[in-house]
Every structure is written in C-alpha cells, then in structure tokens.
Amino acid sequence: MKKNLLLASAILFYGITAFAQEVNFEEYKLNNGLHVILHQDKTAPIVTTSVMYHVGGKDRTEGRTGFAHFFEHLLFEGTENIEKGKWFEIVASNGGSNNANTTQDRTYYYEVFPSNNLQLGLWMESERMLHPIIDQGGIDTQNEVVKEEKRLRYDNSPYGQFLPVLGENLFEKHPYKDPNIGYMKDLDAATLADVIAYNKKYYVPNNAVLVVAGDIDLGKTKKMVKDYFGSIPKGENITRNYPKETPITQQKNAKFYDSNIQIPASMIAYRTPGFKERDAYVLDVISTYLSDGPSSKLYKKMVDDQKQALQVGAFNISQEDYGMYVVFGLPIGETSLEVLTIEMEEEIEKVRTTLISEKDYQKIQNKFENQFVNSNSSVEGIANSLARYYLLYGDTSLINKEIDIYRSISREEIKEVATRYLNPNQRLLLEYLPEENTAN
C-alpha cells in the first residue's frame, strides 16, 4: 500500500512538472519605446493581442480622480478609422472577443481572435494608441456609463464600498486613498483639455507593452508589429513621485454604514509592502494558510467548529506601491463583531508566535503549484501574465520562475513576516455596518 502511495505521488509530481511547461517568449523594443513580447503556441488556431498601459487609478492629480478607469471606457468610443460605437461589433463579426480592465496601477486591453485575424487585432490596438477620437460627446457618453457602473458595483451592491473605505482609512497621503473609479464630481468637473492631456501623457508607446500570444508566425508578426506600431510617436518620459506613508504604529478604528446589507462585518486591515517585495509573496502564503478552503484555520475554526461566522477570510490585496492585507468575518446568530475580531486575532497571533506545521506547510506548497500550472494553461492567461510581469514587476521571466519564490519561503519566514506586519498596533479595525434606520 505504501509503495502504491509513493508511486501515485511520483506520478502526480511528474504530471504537474510535465504539464507546467516553460513559457517561451521573445521580447524587444521598438524605437518609440514600445516593449513587445511574442509567445508562439500552435496548439489551437487562436491569438491574443493585448496592450497594457502603465496607468491606473493612482495616476491622477487632486480633483481629477478616476481618469484611468474613465479611459478604459473612453478608448472604445472610436478612432479616426473605426466608426463611433463599432468597436465591439467589428470584433464579434470577425469571430473574436475582447475586454479591458483597470486597477490602481495599470490598464489592460485585449482581443482574442482566430489566428487568421491577427492583423485585425494589431490594427485595432494601434488605432487605439494613435488615432483615438476624444471629443466632448464621447466624454459625456462615457461619463454616464461610469456613473451607472458606480451605482451598480459600488453604491447599490452589498459590501460594495469596502475596498474604497479600506483605502480611505489605510492611506492618508498616497493616491491609493482614493477609489480606482474616482469621485463623480471630479469627472463632472473635467474639461476636454484635461482629458486630451491625460491621453497624451499616458497612452503612449513608451508607457506600454504589447503582447501577441498564440498561433503566430514570429517573422510575419514582427513585421506587422513594426508596420502598425513603429511610426507612433514616443511620448514624454513619465516620472512618478507619490508621497510616502507614515507607518501605522497605533490601532486605527473606523465605522462605515452600508444601506445594502443586513449582516455586519468585522474587518482587520494592515498596510503592507508592494507586490514586488518578497514579503508580499510571504503574505500571500499566510492568507492561503488562514483562509483558503474549508480546511483552512479561520474557516475550520469559526465557520465549522465554533459556528461563529457565516463567512470568514484573509487575503492580500497586491498593489505596486503598497498592499492591503485584510482579514474579515460575517457573524452568525448572536455572535458580536467584537467576538469575531478576538477570534480572528487569535489565529493571526498564532502565525506570529509559532511555526505552522509541516503538514500545513506542504499543503500550501501544493496549492501554489496547482495555481502556477493553471495560470499558464491558456494563451489568454499567458498574455496577461507576460504583460504584467514585464510592466509592473520589471521581469518578464517571472512567468516561469515566480513559483520558485513561493517554493523558497520557509516556515520561519512566514512567522517573521507575520511578526513584521500583522500586529494589533499596525492595524485598522473597521466595523462595516448596516445603515441605521433613522425614520420616526
């Protein structure tokens, strides 16, 4: 029986290693500063064309928040050669799909086409970069779109405000204090000149990376990339010098009332290092240990055994300059938020003061191995990873070697990092409450 288990383990390990093939890629720069990454994968006749710009919610001035998210929408309006409102129609009618998303640190656009439409994808993204039509009509249209999104995702969604509230309370100086979507009064106040200037500054080739991944011919693709993107003018160099935060040395307390909820939440949050720092990887491991799956420490204790929480979790919100580490719980029955906070802190304290078991450590390692395999299992996912590792981490090869960082994290290091960042005097204690009914 023992031999069979060992054989099964060996086969499983071999399967993971064999399936997680190294992602091959080629990268180079055009004369205008556009970084290009090509990944050839001929297993299916599809191709992903994507552009990631190094611009996000934090790239703003006071009184002009939310521009990056606004541009995520605005740059689908149309170009000199793509009729207004026709972008999605062109993609769909040629067998493709597309989308975009914005974080506090970057904006990502992509199309997935049958590989015989690679040229179309490159042309459309070059049009977005070179020839966007930015006029008052488009600004007004997308302003209403953003307002509706804010109402749907934030204002009228249960717990929709918790990320903005965390940012507001964890940061005092850095732009992370403001929501990625911005404040609607800022978008209302923005002039056409403001918007044009923002586009000229950030949506330029030297602030972007182009990734082409899938069933491609490398030589022909390089020629098309040069033809469509090579003549786009380089923008001015961008310098970022955001204010540094003073370390939190005394517990902060806050309350927020949400009219969309009936069950309150207790949230413990800490300001942590940016995602390029090794300690941020260790915090990922700690969150997996505490709350990833029904056998994790917080879930097993508070949901299954003690039946104090309807839901509980811990997660590391990774960002470029600072992270936010959050532990939260929703009470069940008569359990108070104070009890939830005490029970959650008890588990965090254990990570600070004792080594996790070898069994739990190995379980975490297995989970990260599986995540690594899954992250590179599709061309679309590979394209995103290649863009992100180059633009935000400055090391494209992390797509193959980031797993080695997780493998190298020891039990002792887990304890050290928890002791460094997850102390009661470094935390924000947020009571996220149902809005009180003040009607007589």
Side-chain angles (χ1 to χ4, degrees), residues 214-251:
D215 183 16
I216 60 174
D217 178 284
L218 292 174
K220 291 178 180 177
T221 301
K222 288 180 183 178
K223 183 179 185 308
M224 283 189 280
V225 166
K226 184 177 180 180
D227 289 345
Y228 285 112
F229 290 89
S231 62
I232 299 177
K234 182 178 182 178
E236 295 291 328
N237 290 331
I238 297 168
T239 58
R240 294 176 172 87
N241 187 25
Y242 298 118
K244 300 292 190 295
E245 292 286 341
T246 303
I248 298 172
T249 57
Q250 187 174 359
Q251 178 177 298

Side-chain angles (χ1 to χ4, degrees), residues 46-293:
I46 59 172
V47 62
T48 295
T49 304
S50 67
V51 177
M52 184 177 286
Y53 293 92
H54 198 176
V55 58
K58 72 181 180 188
D59 296 297
R60 88 293 183 278
T61 56
E62 292 297 333
R64 292 294 182 269
T65 60
F67 270 36
H69 175 264
F70 180 71
F71 263 82
E72 176 196 321
H73 295 269
L74 185 65
L75 293 186
F76 282 106
E77 270 286 295
T79 74
E80 292 180 13
N81 298 297
I82 298 175
E83 187 180 341
K84 179 181 174 70
K86 294 292 184 180
W87 188 287
F88 295 96
E89 182 181 318
I90 291 171
V91 172
S93 64
N94 284 277
S97 61
N98 69 298
N99 214 331
N101 53 73
T102 307
T103 70
Q104 289 277 24
D105 302 308
R106 95 294 181 274
T107 303
Y108 186 60
Y109 298 93
Y110 68 94
E111 290 81 32
V112 182
F113 279 117
S115 52
N116 61 344
N117 278 329
L118 167 60
Q119 188 171 3
L120 176 60
L122 290 170
W123 173 71
M124 294 183 78
E125 285 302 334
S126 68
E127 277 290 300
R128 194 197 309 270
M129 188 180 291
L130 180 60
H131 294 136
I133 292 178
I134 299 175
D135 56 25
Q136 194 61 51
I139 292 172
D140 293 343
T141 298
Q142 295 306 323
N143 200 352
E144 292 305 313
V145 171
V146 171
K147 286 179 179 178
E148 181 58 29
E149 180 181 348
K150 183 177 182 295
R151 285 189 286 267
L152 181 66
R153 291 179 55 191
Y154 295 88
D155 299 343
N156 300 321
S157 177
Y159 308 98
Q161 295 288 344
F162 99 89
L163 275 178
V165 172
L166 287 177
E168 178 185 351
N169 284 281
L170 279 177
F171 300 98
E172 296 178 357
K173 306 171 187 175
H174 192 282
Y176 290 157
K177 68 186 175 62
D178 299 317
N180 183 36
I181 200 169
Y183 303 109
M184 296 307 99
K185 62 182 176 62
D186 291 351
L187 293 181
D188 287 340
T191 66
L192 177 58
D194 290 334
V195 177
I196 291 173
Y198 196 84
N199 180 74
K200 183 179 179 182
K201 180 175 183 178
Y202 291 109
Y203 298 86
V204 290
N206 48 304
N207 194 46
V209 55
L210 166 70
V211 179
V212 185
D215 183 16
I216 60 174
D217 178 284
L218 292 174
K220 291 178 180 177
T221 301
K222 288 180 183 178
K223 183 179 185 308
M224 283 189 280
V225 166
K226 184 177 180 180
D227 289 345
Y228 285 112
F229 290 89
S231 62
I232 299 177
K234 182 178 182 178
E236 295 291 328
N237 290 331
I238 297 168
T239 58
R240 294 176 172 87
N241 187 25
Y242 298 118
K244 300 292 190 295
E245 292 286 341
T246 303
I248 298 172
T249 57
Q250 187 174 359
Q251 178 177 298
K252 303 176 71 173
N253 298 284
K255 292 183 180 182
F256 181 80
Y257 295 90
D258 188 337
S259 62
N260 303 298
I261 67 171
Q262 294 180 317
I263 300 173
S266 175
M267 298 182 180
I268 304 172
Y270 312 82
R271 191 194 307 141
T272 53
F275 50 54
K276 285 186 284 190
E277 301 295 328
R278 180 178 174 88
D279 286 354
Y281 288 95
V282 182
L283 288 164
D284 287 340
V285 171
I286 294 172
S287 63
T288 298
Y289 171 75
L290 287 174
S291 74
D292 187 5

Side-chain angles (χ1 to χ4, degrees), residues 238-382:
I238 297 168
T239 58
R240 294 176 172 87
N241 187 25
Y242 298 118
K244 300 292 190 295
E245 292 286 341
T246 303
I248 298 172
T249 57
Q250 187 174 359
Q251 178 177 298
K252 303 176 71 173
N253 298 284
K255 292 183 180 182
F256 181 80
Y257 295 90
D258 188 337
S259 62
N260 303 298
I261 67 171
Q262 294 180 317
I263 300 173
S266 175
M267 298 182 180
I268 304 172
Y270 312 82
R271 191 194 307 141
T272 53
F275 50 54
K276 285 186 284 190
E277 301 295 328
R278 180 178 174 88
D279 286 354
Y281 288 95
V282 182
L283 288 164
D284 287 340
V285 171
I286 294 172
S287 63
T288 298
Y289 171 75
L290 287 174
S291 74
D292 187 5
S295 64
S296 61
K297 297 304 174 185
L298 286 172
Y299 192 96
K300 180 78 167 58
K301 169 188 170 182
M302 297 175 65
V303 177
D304 280 353
D305 295 345
Q306 298 178 182
K307 296 183 170 38
Q308 297 165 316
L310 184 66
Q311 189 176 348
V312 66
F315 51 98
N316 186 30
I317 302 173
S318 296
Q319 299 178 130
E320 188 171 20
D321 298 338
Y322 295 99
M324 297 189 292
Y325 193 88
V326 184
V327 185
F328 75 95
L330 276 63
I332 193 169
E334 299 299 315
T335 306
S336 68
L337 293 186
E338 182 182 8
V339 167
L340 285 187
T341 302
I342 291 170
E343 296 292 346
M344 292 189 293
E345 165 57 26
E346 186 178 89
E347 294 307 309
I348 299 167
E349 182 185 21
K350 288 178 183 176
V351 184
R352 293 196 306 264
T353 56
T354 61
L355 295 179
I356 69 172
S357 71
E358 280 285 2
K359 180 181 177 181
D360 286 330
Y361 176 76
Q362 193 54 56
K363 185 170 69 173
I364 293 169
Q365 290 291 335
N366 293 340
K367 286 188 176 184
F368 278 98
E369 293 281 356
N370 288 332
Q371 290 173 17
F372 170 65
V373 170
N374 292 334
S375 67
N376 293 338
S377 62
S378 73
V379 167
E380 189 176 322
I382 288 171

